[in-house]
Amino acid sequence: MSLLRLHPDDDVAVALADQGPNISAGHKVAVRAISAGHPVRKYGQVIGIASAEIASGDWVHTHNLVMSDADRATEIGADRRALGASTATAAWSGYRRSDGRWGTRNTIAILTSVNCSATVARRIAAAFPAEGLPEGVDDVAAYTHTGGCGGASDGEDVRMLQRTLAGYARHPNVAAVLIVGLGCEANQIPDWFVKEGLAPGPALRSLSIQEAGGTLKAIEDGKAIVRDLITLAAEARREPAPVSGLVVGLQCGGSDGWSGVTANPALGRAVDRLIAQGGSAMLSETPEIWGAEHLLLRRADAETAERLIARLTWWRDHASANGMELNNNPSPGNLKGGLTTILEKSLGAVAKAGSAPLEDVIGYAQPLRKPGLSFMDSPGYDPCSATGQIASGANLIAFTTGRGSVFGSKPSPCLKIASNARLAGWMAEDIDIDASSVLEGESLDDVGERIFHRLLSLASGDPSASEILGIGDAEFVPWQRGAYL
C-alpha cells in the first residue's frame, strides 16, 4: 500500500493512490493499532478520538474517528520569531494611490447602498464591457447584495455593510466609485459617508433612483457618471512597486485530504517570502481554525492572543445558541475528499499562513492596521470571507482547493492553487497553479517560490484563470449577522 506519513508521531498516513473500494487517494490509513478512546494524530497533532478499535492498515474516517474537545496545550508566544530579513528584491508594477497604498488593478466600482438598487447598478455596469474600455482601465463592476434595509439604520448589519462598502470605496484597486441608492433605505448614503469619513468628489459620486425619476432615468444618469469616471481612471499608470505594497487574502475552499499536504503549506512558504520582503497577508474564516488555534496563539503576543481567543469564544457561543456545533464543518465535499473532523481541516487550513508572527486580529472588513500576518474574523464561507478581506485592504486573493472551486473575486484578482493533479487537469480552466508536484518530489519551498512569483505577475496585470472566465461580480457577499424586522 502506497502511503505518505507526514510526521513521525502520526497514527495515520495518507493514501497516495486509491486502495480499493473504500480507501481513496487522500484518505487516512492507520499505521498502527489504535484503541477506542485514544487520540489520533496527523501532522503531529490530534485530529480526533478513535470511536472504535482501529487495526493497523484500517481506513480511518467518520465511522471510527470523532471530534475531540480536549484542550490543546498552548504556550502563547512560544513560536513567535521574526522571519529572517530577505536579501531578495522582488519587483512588480502597480498603481500608486493618493493615500500611499498600491493597486494591482484599476477599476470602476458601482456600489449599491441597498438591494433595491441592484438592478440599476447591474444595468449601468453592463453598458461598459471590458473590451470597450480604454487601455489601463480593467473593469466596471457592480457590487450588489441583499442588505441595506429591513432593519434599523444604526443596526449591526447596516453598520457592518457600511464598513464593507467603505472598504471597497477606498480600495487601492478602485480608481473611482459610483454609489447607487433607492432613496428611502435604512442605509442612507449621506449618513454612511459621514460615519465612514467618505467625502464626495470627482472620483466618488452617488445617485438616488427616486431623485432621478425612476429606473430608466437612473440608468441613463448612471451611465453618464461612469463615462466621466472612466476618463478619470484612464489617467492612472502602472509604475514599479515594492513588495510591501501587496496585501494577500488567504482562502481555501473545497478542501481535501491533500490540501494540508501540498497546496496550503506551499502557499504558506510563499506567504513567508512575501512577509520577509515587507508584504502582508490575512488569514480568516474563524470557525475553520478551530482546533488549530493553538498554532497561531504560539505565534502571537499576549494582546493579540487575547483578541483571537475572544473571537473563538464568540463563535463557540454563537454556534451553541443556534443549536449547532463547530464540527458541523467539514462539508460533504471535504468528507468525500478525506477530511474527517474540523480539527484535521483546521490544521491544514492554518498552514496557508506560513510561519510568520501573528501581528494583529481585526474585525470583519476593518482596515488592516499592521504589516505582516493578520487574522480577520469572518464566517467559514469563502465569498463572504474574501469580501471582508478585500474590504480590509487585500489587493490579491490566494485560494487553495482540492475538490474544485470556481471562485473568483473583484476588484482583487484571485490566484487558484490545486492540491492534486487530477483536479488541476480536470478543471484546468479554473486553476492557476498545480501544487501536487510536492508528491512527485518538488520541495514545498520550490512550489512556494512559484506561487510567490505568480502572485507578483498577477499583481502586475497578468490575468488569473477566474479573470479570464469573467468571474467575480456575483462573489461580493457582505456578512449579515442580524435579523430583519
Side-chain angles (χ1 to χ4, degrees):
M1 188 179 291
S2 182
L3 302 172
L4 176 62
R5 193 174 184 182
L6 302 173
H7 190 279
D9 295 339
D10 285 354
D11 302 295
V12 297
V14 185
L16 289 166
D18 293 349
Q19 310 287 334
N22 288 329
I23 307 175
S24 301
H27 281 245
K28 298 176 291 297
V29 176
V31 297
R32 54 179 168 238
I34 309 169
S35 300
H38 279 227
V40 177
R41 286 179 171 80
K42 179 184 177 185
Y43 308 114
Q45 303 285 334
V46 173
I47 62 169
I49 298 294
S51 58
E53 297 292 319
I54 301 175
S56 180
D58 279 357
W59 178 35
V60 178
H61 202 31
T62 54
H63 61 290
N64 55 14
L65 178 66
V66 295
M67 173 73 170
S68 167
D69 287 323
D71 289 338
R72 290 162 289 280
T74 300
E75 188 178 350
I76 291 172
D79 297 331
R80 184 176 172 80
R81 300 178 186 88
L83 297 175
S86 174
T87 59
T89 54
W92 65 286
S93 176
Y95 298 95
R96 185 174 179 85
R97 303 305 185 186
S98 59
D99 63 2
R101 292 187 296 169
W102 290 88
T104 65
R105 294 293 182 269
N106 193 44
T107 71
I108 309 296
I110 304 177
L111 302 177
T112 51
S113 64
V114 65
N115 175 254
C116 308
S117 56
T119 296
V120 168
R122 290 186 187 128
R123 297 273 179 87
I124 295 169
F128 301 95
E131 58 270 20
L133 297 175
E135 183 178 359
V137 180
D138 295 299
D139 193 32
V140 175
Y143 297 90
T144 65
H145 52 86
T146 61
C149 207
S153 295
D154 61 349
E156 180 183 37
D157 272 356
V158 169
R159 291 197 303 272
M160 187 172 291
L161 175 63
Q162 290 175 336
R163 188 166 74 224
T164 304
L165 291 168
Y168 275 64
R170 297 190 185 99
H171 200 279
N173 289 4
V174 174
V177 181
L178 168 62
I179 300 160
V180 182
L182 177 61
C184 58
E185 61 269 24
N187 182 25
Q188 287 286 297
I189 293 175
D191 293 343
W192 165 42
F193 278 9
V194 171
K195 288 177 183 176
E196 292 295 333
L198 295 170
L204 179 59
R205 307 279 296 277
S206 63
L207 170 68
S208 164
I209 297 171
Q210 291 172 348
E211 290 180 7
T215 298
L216 296 179
K217 292 178 182 177
I219 292 170
E220 290 306 311
D221 287 352
K223 289 193 290 187
I225 292 172
V226 169
R227 281 191 283 270
D228 290 341
L229 298 181
I230 289 172
T231 300
L232 183 64
E235 297 174 0
R237 295 291 183 271
R238 286 188 182 271
E239 58 184 279
V243 174
S244 59
L246 293 177
V247 180
V248 181
L250 308 175
Q251 290 291 322
C252 57
S255 299
D256 69 349
W258 296 121
S259 294
V261 180
T262 61
N264 288 348
L267 176 55
R269 303 299 174 95
V271 167
D272 283 348
R273 284 162 174 73
L274 173 80
I275 291 175
Q277 296 190 45
S280 299
M282 267 185 280
L283 189 65
S284 297
E285 297 186 299
T286 316
E288 294 191 7
I289 66 162
W290 188 267
E293 71 277 4
H294 60 294
L295 301 180
L296 293 172
L297 294 171
R298 291 175 65 90
R299 293 155 56 183
D301 61 27
E303 182 182 350
T304 302
E306 184 178 353
R307 288 200 296 271
L308 183 59
I309 291 169
R311 298 318 306 151
L312 287 160
T313 300
W314 183 90
W315 276 100
R316 182 196 61 204
D317 296 344
H318 177 69
S320 177
N322 286 277
M324 302 171 65
E325 56 184 45
L326 291 175
N327 199 43
N328 285 352
N329 194 333
S331 69
N334 297 151
L335 295 170
K336 190 172 181 180
L339 297 174
T340 306
T341 66
I342 188 58
L343 304 180
E344 180 183 9
K345 182 177 181 180
S346 293
L347 289 164
V350 165
K352 299 193 301 292
S355 61
L358 180 63
E359 303 291 359
D360 201 6
V361 174
I362 61 176
Y364 184 85
Q366 288 184 338
L368 195 71
R369 300 183 296 195
K370 297 181 180 180
L373 178 65
S374 294
F375 186 90
M376 186 204 75
D377 184 37
S378 81
Y381 176 41
D382 314 327
C384 180
S385 179
T387 295
Q389 289 179 331
I390 294 170
S392 290
N395 52 15
L396 293 174
I397 299 292
F399 191 114
T400 66
T401 183
R403 300 292 295 169
S405 170
V406 295
F407 178 81
S409 54
K410 293 181 179 181
S412 299
C414 176
L415 186 77
K416 299 274 274 306
I417 305 163
S419 74
N420 63 83
R422 182 185 181 280
L423 168 64
W426 183 250
M427 294 180 63
E429 71 275 12
D430 292 287
I431 300 298
D432 296 284
I433 288 182
D434 178 7
S436 70
S437 53
V438 169
L439 302 176
E440 303 297 327
E442 188 176 12
S443 71
L444 285 169
D445 279 334
D446 286 346
V447 179
E449 188 75 16
R450 284 200 287 118
I451 293 171
F452 176 65
H453 286 286
R454 184 68 181 88
L455 286 168
L456 294 178
S457 68
L458 182 63
S460 299
D462 287 350
S464 68
S466 59
E467 285 182 298
I468 292 170
L469 292 169
I471 298 172
D473 302 78
E475 285 72 16
F476 177 72
V477 183
W479 188 10
Q480 292 180 281
R481 292 195 295 192
Y484 294 109
L485 297 175

